[in-house]
Amino acid sequence: MRGLFITLEGGDGAGKSTQIKNIESFFEEKGLLVVHTREPGGTPISEKLREIVLDSHNLEMKDVTEMLVYAAARAQHVRELVMPALEKGHIVICDRFLDSSIAYQAYGRGLGDMVGIVNAFATGGLAPDITFWMDIDPDEGKRRVSRLGDLDRLEMEEGDFHFKVYEGYKAIAEGDPERVKRIDATRSVEEISEEIKKYLEQICEKRGI
Ligand code: TYD
């Protein structure tokens, strides 16, 4: 049986890491093997690409280059780690995936449809079984991130970039409500965990896990 592919999405500072730990425990308690990974990154080559794309010194990087580096990191990650794990029946939890490229590069950078086309090739058509969009107002997200210290190249973006990213996530969630679950990330950790657990129980029941 193919495993489950779960992704978490959201603007900066939406509290994804805490929820990833909860999801991990949920499946480990069922005795399942969980692979926790992230994008950009997850494999040695993809982690090197991550360093390049997030380096706050790389201010000359063009938007198209940025989009292609994220896609290249993803192509390697999908083939080297995600697909083989799913084929073994493992649960793969990924911090960000293709929806990030749609939100940040297609909407945020304004690169449009080309992002989906390039990424269809990069992912080989792999899509998550379920995605949690941690929905937080971009201003609040920014406040949370700037409290944490050094900013990466994307977090440094000013102006309406993060609002466009937010609009991107909204459009993705509205366009695919079956897969993408909007989670109000302004609530307490406990409330958020409960809601996510409810969705996980549903998907497990559906898939006989
Ligand atoms: P990361 O530190 O993982 O962000 P966070 O902790 O907020 O999840 O950095 C990843 C950054 O890269 C984040 O700002 C979102 C951005 N990103 C894209 O622009 N496109 C993509 O395809 C991916 C995967 C991430």
Side-chain angles (χ1 to χ4, degrees), residues 35-60:
V35 177
H36 169 193
T37 185
R38 68 171 179 182
E39 286 207 347
T43 70
I45 292 170
S46 308
E47 288 290 331
K48 282 189 182 167
L49 293 168
R50 176 188 175 92
E51 277 175 35
I52 297 170
V53 78
L54 294 182
D55 189 338
S56 56
H57 297 101
N58 286 343
L59 295 173
E60 310 91 332

Side-chain angles (χ1 to χ4, degrees), residues 10-13 16 38-40 50 54 66 70 74 95-98 100-101 104-105 152 154-155:
D12 301 315
K16 285 181 280 115
R38 68 171 179 182
E39 286 207 347
R50 176 188 175 92
L54 294 182
E66 175 185 292
Y70 280 117
R74 180 163 302 128
D95 184 348
R96 298 189 179 281
F97 190 63
L98 170 59
S100 283
S101 281
Y104 284 77
Q105 279 69 54
D152 67 41
L154 276 283
E155 287 162 350

Side-chain angles (χ1 to χ4, degrees), residues 2-205:
R2 181 188 177 276
L4 270 185
F5 185 29
I6 301 168
T7 61
L8 276 92
E9 294 284 350
D12 301 315
K16 285 181 280 115
S17 333
T18 313
Q19 291 309 323
I20 287 173
K21 286 198 198 93
N22 286 336
I23 299 172
E24 232 173 328
S25 317
F26 176 90
F27 287 104
E28 279 166 1
E29 278 164 24
K30 286 179 176 286
L32 293 166
L33 214 144
V34 179
V35 177
H36 169 193
T37 185
R38 68 171 179 182
E39 286 207 347
T43 70
I45 292 170
S46 308
E47 288 290 331
K48 282 189 182 167
L49 293 168
R50 176 188 175 92
E51 277 175 35
I52 297 170
V53 78
L54 294 182
D55 189 338
S56 56
H57 297 101
N58 286 343
L59 295 173
E60 310 91 332
M61 189 177 287
K62 305 297 180 199
D63 293 349
V64 177
T65 314
E66 175 185 292
M67 185 269 279
L68 291 169
V69 177
Y70 280 117
R74 180 163 302 128
Q76 185 66 29
H77 184 222
V78 163
R79 287 163 182 77
E80 187 182 337
L81 191 136
V82 181
M83 278 308 297
L86 291 173
E87 276 158 15
K88 284 185 204 136
H90 300 333
I91 308 293
V92 179
I93 306 173
C94 191
D95 184 348
R96 298 189 179 281
F97 190 63
L98 170 59
D99 296 323
S100 283
S101 281
I102 303 296
Y104 284 77
Q105 279 69 54
Y107 283 81
R109 299 296 191 206
L111 294 177
D113 293 346
M114 195 45 71
V115 181
I117 296 168
V118 167
N119 274 280
F121 196 42
T123 58
L126 175 70
D129 294 290
I130 189 164
T131 297
F132 296 107
W133 170 39
M134 308 297 289
D135 177 7
I136 190 168
D137 171 72
D139 276 333
E140 172 59 17
K142 202 163 181 201
R143 271 193 293 277
R144 292 191 189 181
V145 168
S146 48
R147 277 201 299 270
L148 298 175
D150 292 345
L151 301 182
D152 67 41
R153 203 173 54 79
L154 276 283
E155 287 162 350
M156 282 161 56
E157 277 300 325
E158 294 286 345
D160 57 358
F161 178 75
H162 292 282
F163 290 93
K164 291 188 200 156
V165 170
Y166 186 79
E167 287 306 312
Y169 275 125
K170 231 165 71 183
I172 294 166
E174 282 166 11
D176 195 355
E178 193 52 40
R179 172 180 66 88
V180 184
K181 307 300 177 196
R182 190 189 80 87
I183 306 291
D184 174 357
T186 58
R187 295 168 305 161
S188 70
V189 172
E190 291 72 25
E191 283 174 294
I192 297 172
S193 307
E194 272 309 303
E195 189 182 11
I196 290 184
K197 198 169 151 206
K198 193 186 76 196
Y199 285 124
L200 294 177
E201 277 161 357
Q202 279 172 10
I203 198 166
C204 284
E205 199 179 288

